[in-house]
Amino acid sequence: MMYRKLFLSILAAIALACLLLFRHRTAQGEWRMVHDEGTVFGTLYHAKYLYDKDLKAELEAELQRVDASLSMFNPQSTVSRINRNETDDADEMLGEVLRLSFRINEATGGAFDPTVAPLVNAWGFGYKNGLLPDSTQVDSLLSLVGLRGIHLQGSRLTKGNPLSVLDFSAIAKGYGADRAAQVLRRHGIKDFMVEIGGEVVTEGVNGKGEPWRIGIDKPDESTAAASSGLQDIISLMSGAIATSGNYRNYYVADGRKIAHTINPLTGYPAQQDILSSTVLAPSCAEADAFATAFMVLGLEAARQVLQGQPQLEAYFICSDEQGNCRTWHTEGFGKLLEARD
């Protein structure tokens, strides 16, 4: 009996060694942690993955396809041509993102709305800058805002008002991270992290064999944001996470701070208690869009939305009436937080 137990123990050890060897070796050679980086959507991307070759060209080709579909800053993109009423043909990516936008728009009571672009533009963000709008201009632009005026039948997209435009900036980075992750999964890669402008998709473990560590920045308005430190760190083995915040993208006009998150329901910059909204979701596109919507809604309304969205976990950095920062998170998100001194 003792020899049999010893034999089984040795057999189990051999099986484990073979599994690890298979995980880290292919017929083409040793697997290593590859690190690719570059620019896309006007920001940086990073991809780390355990594989035996570099897939940078394939990753960037996929990201360029996303850009060619969804970028407002690419005049030949599908969304740009739709906005100029040159076509009503929505490609596969735009259709997928628009259908997700419809769902999140409904779930958030209209707080997430990719037709808000004219207002974002009028307030000095987006693709054109100008004087601040008055109430008459805001009311006029609100007539162009609302997904209720956008219809998608098959691949045909129609607009109730030809002056309405679509801007997927609040979901495109997350969607791009999802598409890059799909490239890696098609190659059978089990350990990776993709990050585009702070929106992240992870799976498996990092080069040390540990969960991926994702930092949540402190809401520091200084331009030296990199030196502001981290509010918290989470350990994530599989998931998609995105953060939205007003503490960096803003300007001051007539003594007041104008933040880049525009409330599509009122037409004015969102002035809520949430300084930073971080969302964990099944897809990064979903996380990206909900994070933006929660910035518009504020803490109490965001918590109500979360009750009806069990697939989401969230972490908010908020400002109280005295201007002090505090945090709130869902129970599931709290389990991911690393203990800190």
Side-chain angles (χ1 to χ4, degrees):
M1 180 66 69
M2 180 180 68
Y3 291 111
R4 184 172 183 272
K5 288 183 178 180
L6 179 61
F7 173 75
L8 291 175
S9 297
I10 294 172
L11 188 63
I14 293 173
L16 178 60
C18 290
L19 178 62
L20 291 173
L21 184 63
F22 176 78
R23 185 182 181 90
H24 293 274
R25 180 188 292 271
T26 68
Q28 296 167 316
E30 293 291 334
W31 286 27
R32 67 193 189 283
M33 190 59 72
V34 182
H35 182 191
D36 294 330
E37 60 182 49
T39 58
V40 67
F41 315 145
T43 188
L44 297 174
Y45 83 86
H46 296 86
K48 297 180 180 180
Y49 48 95
L50 190 65
Y51 202 46
D52 70 320
K53 58 179 177 289
D54 194 326
L55 299 174
K56 183 174 183 178
E58 191 171 341
L59 287 168
E60 292 195 344
E62 184 70 4
L63 293 176
Q64 288 306 315
R65 281 191 284 272
V66 177
D67 183 88
S69 173
L70 302 175
S71 175
M72 287 276 287
F73 302 96
N74 179 349
Q76 298 307 315
S77 70
T78 302
V79 71
S80 292
R81 296 180 63 238
I82 285 174
N83 287 342
R84 294 194 300 267
N85 300 307
E86 294 176 359
T87 183
D88 62 2
D89 188 17
D91 60 41
E92 174 259 335
M93 289 187 179
L94 193 149
E96 183 179 3
V97 170
L98 184 57
R99 283 187 287 271
L100 179 59
S101 296
F102 284 134
R103 181 171 70 79
I104 297 175
N105 176 268
E106 181 178 4
T108 60
F112 176 77
D113 194 324
T115 66
V116 76
L119 287 164
V120 174
N121 198 38
W123 282 102
F125 303 97
Y127 51 88
K128 191 185 298 179
N129 294 325
L131 298 175
L132 295 184
D134 57 26
S135 59
T136 300
Q137 291 171 304
V138 169
D139 290 342
S140 176
L141 291 172
L142 274 172
S143 67
L144 305 178
V145 176
L147 274 178
R148 63 190 178 279
I150 306 298
H151 305 280
L152 184 66
Q153 294 183 321
S155 64
R156 184 170 182 263
L157 187 151
T158 57
K159 299 186 290 184
N161 189 324
L163 297 179
S164 294
V165 297
L166 291 163
D167 181 357
F168 294 111
S169 297
I171 194 171
K173 288 189 297 182
Y175 182 73
D178 288 330
R179 297 292 298 215
Q182 289 177 20
V183 170
L184 300 178
R185 291 188 179 110
R186 285 198 296 268
H187 285 271
I189 297 172
K190 304 296 185 183
D191 301 303
F192 66 80
M193 179 186 74
V194 175
E195 180 263 334
I196 302 177
E199 325 301 26
V200 180
V201 180
T202 70
E203 193 163 303
V205 295
N206 63 21
K208 297 179 180 179
E210 301 170 347
W212 298 97
R213 302 177 73 237
I214 312 297
I216 301 173
D217 287 343
K218 289 182 179 179
D220 191 333
E221 294 179 346
S222 68
T223 55
S227 64
S228 63
L230 298 176
Q231 184 77 32
D232 265 310
I233 299 173
I234 67 168
S235 296
L236 190 62
M237 289 189 68
S238 180
I241 191 165
T243 297
S244 182
N246 280 329
Y247 51 92
R248 292 181 191 166
N249 194 1
Y250 72 96
Y251 61 89
V252 177
D254 299 328
R256 60 181 177 140
K257 187 171 79 170
I258 308 296
H260 81 287
T261 300
I262 307 301
N263 187 332
L265 303 174
T266 68
Y268 289 85
Q271 301 291 336
Q272 296 289 2
D273 50 357
I274 297 180
L275 301 175
S276 172
S277 166
T278 300
V279 175
L280 179 68
S283 73
C284 203
E286 193 175 2
D288 202 359
F290 272 107
T292 298
F294 292 152
M295 292 295 302
V296 170
L297 290 170
L299 179 59
E300 290 309 313
R303 290 174 65 174
Q304 293 178 19
V305 171
L306 285 165
Q307 291 177 3
Q309 302 293 322
Q311 80 280 13
L312 303 181
E313 303 292 347
Y315 175 103
F316 303 134
I317 304 175
C318 305
S319 175
D320 62 23
E321 295 179 355
Q322 288 72 43
N324 300 314
C325 286
R326 59 190 177 92
T327 63
W328 179 92
H329 57 75
T330 58
E331 181 179 356
F333 201 104
K335 295 176 181 178
L336 301 173
L337 292 171
E338 293 186 1
R340 306 189 74 195
D341 296 332

